[in-house]
Amino acid sequence: MAEPHAVVVGGGIGGLAAALALHRRGWGLTVCERAPVAEPDDLGLAVAPNALRGLDALDAGADVRARSARHGVAAIRRKDGRWIVRTGAAEAENRFGDPMRVLRRAELHSLLLRRLPEGALRTATTVSSVEPGDTRQLARVRTDSGELSADLVVVADGVRSTIRPMLFLEHPGMAYTGFTCWHAIVQRPDDHPVEFAESWGPGGVAGVLPLPGNEVYCYATGNAPAGAAAKDERAELARRLDGWHGPIPDLFAAAPPETVARSDVWHVDTPLPAYHKGRVAVLGDAAHAMAPTMGQGVGQAIEDAVVLAHHVDGSLAYVPTALQSYTDTRLPRTAALVQRSAQLAEAMQSDSAVLIGLRDTAATVAGRLAPGLLAHYVRPIDDWHPPGAG
């Protein structure tokens, strides 16, 4: 029997995870990435316990653990620095089997890419259209360098997917969350300890994630119109963070101005009718981009990849039927997480003094008086296991 062939549209972490999951099950691969060089944004990345289990299924979990910093699943302060919720890595490990792991996004991308066969990734290759095919016809993928046929096409080209609207003509597409995010990676200061934590204030949050070595990933959010920009983003951020506890303002102030990046946050808040059409599967942010409030964007893409490969394994003649099972498994879970992330974002981005007081009080009670409530809230997310895991 000829080797089944998959075309993956998008060479980000979700696309590479899907490619690796399929490669491990004997599929031939072509990964089409429109960028001339496969270099992800220089961001810090929090990898939750469920994502680590997915990476274990790809034989990449051990490398991620070796190259990452250990943190708890929740550590939240007020704007003035007082703790609201504080959990450590050991507590997270006891509850979920793993703590949160933090590393550079580029590090995870490189770990996945190195596991793919040489030549699988084609950079500077733009996919212009996809014909989904069916049980009798293979899918067809048109690119600016030629046409490809495929037993399976995986659409993993992100929240701004160009293929998603071709597959689901009536879907409204992505929507703006109402807030933007600034981020930078800076050197850890010698004179100030830096703890993993996220701080909640009026109209946004700010967080610090110590990375392996001597670096810290910093981020901050703020309500703003889509597409807005400042002449000096570091100065704009300094204005917004005036009065916040240390070391947050100082960390951003230490970043060279050109390294402080700004990204509007978009999500797919209306669920797709399905995560497949014909022989095409939609995965990751292309299917269910969510606000980053629960740190599950990458984790859900990795879950998608593992579940997709599980369902299409051994079903070459019935790929569309296998993809229906993929939709049935993934859509309810991810749609619920999109909505939960949006609801949490609404609370975190609130600038109402009354709502902020209620938010912080509720989180304090859950975190300090009844820590089991926090575990109950995140367990359905972090307790996921790959199909067939014992």
Side-chain angles (χ1 to χ4, degrees):
M1 180 181 293
E3 179 184 61
H5 186 253
V7 173
V8 179
V9 184
I13 288 174
L16 295 186
L20 179 57
L22 292 167
H23 170 61
R24 288 171 57 81
R25 293 176 182 266
W27 285 69
L29 299 166
T30 302
V31 181
C32 299
E33 169 55 50
R34 62 188 164 208
V37 180
E39 291 183 351
D41 293 336
D42 195 16
L43 303 173
L45 180 65
V47 181
N50 57 306
L52 281 165
R53 294 188 199 97
L55 291 167
D56 284 337
L58 303 179
D59 196 29
D63 278 352
V64 170
R65 291 179 180 87
R67 290 165 169 79
S68 59
R70 300 169 70 251
H71 297 299
V73 297
I76 304 169
R77 297 178 186 260
R78 291 182 172 87
K79 176 185 172 180
D80 61 11
R82 289 178 296 159
W83 286 101
I84 297 175
V85 176
R86 192 177 192 180
T87 64
E91 182 179 349
E93 192 163 3
N94 288 337
R95 290 186 180 275
F96 305 111
D98 262 301
M100 187 80 73
R101 296 282 178 167
V102 177
L103 73 168
R104 283 178 177 256
R105 179 179 289 264
E107 183 74 30
L108 178 55
H109 188 275
S110 178
L111 287 173
L112 296 174
L113 183 58
R114 289 201 300 267
R115 286 167 164 76
L116 293 179
E118 186 176 356
L121 177 64
R122 296 186 187 180
T123 56
T125 302
T126 299
V127 173
S128 57
S129 67
V130 174
E131 293 180 9
D134 53 31
T135 54
R136 296 181 299 276
Q137 296 290 329
L138 296 182
R140 306 293 296 178
V141 179
R142 293 186 180 86
T143 79
D144 54 2
S145 58
E147 188 173 283
L148 302 167
S149 61
D151 298 287
L152 171 67
V153 177
V154 181
V155 175
D157 56 345
V159 63
R160 299 179 184 273
S161 173
T162 59
I163 306 303
R164 180 183 61 228
M166 300 179 192
L167 300 173
F168 306 105
L169 299 176
E170 303 301 320
H171 188 267
M174 66 181 188
Y176 184 49
T177 60
F179 66 96
T180 193
C181 182
W182 292 265
H183 44 84
I185 292 178
V186 301
Q187 292 296 305
R188 192 191 308 255
D190 295 331
D191 59 347
H192 199 302
V194 178
E195 287 189 79
F196 157 67
E198 183 171 85
S199 300
W200 292 359
V205 305
V208 293
L209 294 174
L211 293 162
N214 199 37
E215 294 179 317
V216 181
Y217 174 61
C218 310
Y219 63 90
T221 66
N223 299 326
K231 184 177 296 186
D232 183 336
E233 295 293 357
R234 190 182 69 170
E236 169 64 13
L237 187 55
R239 181 186 69 80
R240 289 177 177 255
L241 291 177
D242 183 42
W244 287 62
H245 72 84
I248 292 171
D250 292 338
L251 288 172
F252 274 109
E258 67 277 6
T259 67
V260 178
R262 176 175 179 167
S263 305
D264 288 345
V265 180
W266 297 78
H267 61 170
V268 180
D269 64 335
T270 300
L272 292 175
Y275 288 169
H276 76 285
K277 188 171 185 178
R279 292 177 174 268
V280 179
V282 190
L283 175 150
D285 282 354
H288 47 68
M290 59 191 69
T293 49
M294 302 192 75
Q296 279 294 318
V298 165
Q300 292 308 301
I302 292 169
E303 286 188 19
D304 287 346
V306 172
V307 172
L308 173 64
H310 169 77
H311 282 294
V312 300
D313 189 35
S315 303
L316 187 58
Y318 303 100
V319 168
T321 302
L323 295 185
Q324 179 65 60
S325 298
Y326 164 70
T327 284
D328 292 344
T329 302
R330 296 302 300 158
L331 199 154
R333 174 172 170 81
T334 53
L337 282 174
V338 170
Q339 294 306 310
R340 185 182 288 192
S341 297
Q343 291 164 1
L344 188 56
E346 185 175 0
M348 292 166 66
Q349 296 299 131
S350 175
D351 54 11
S352 163
V354 173
L355 292 179
I356 289 170
L358 291 173
R359 174 196 71 189
D360 292 356
T361 299
T364 300
V365 169
R368 294 184 180 178
L369 301 182
L373 291 176
L374 178 63
H376 179 75
Y377 184 77
V378 300
R379 181 168 294 282
I381 306 165
D382 289 338
D383 205 31
W384 175 88
H385 289 78

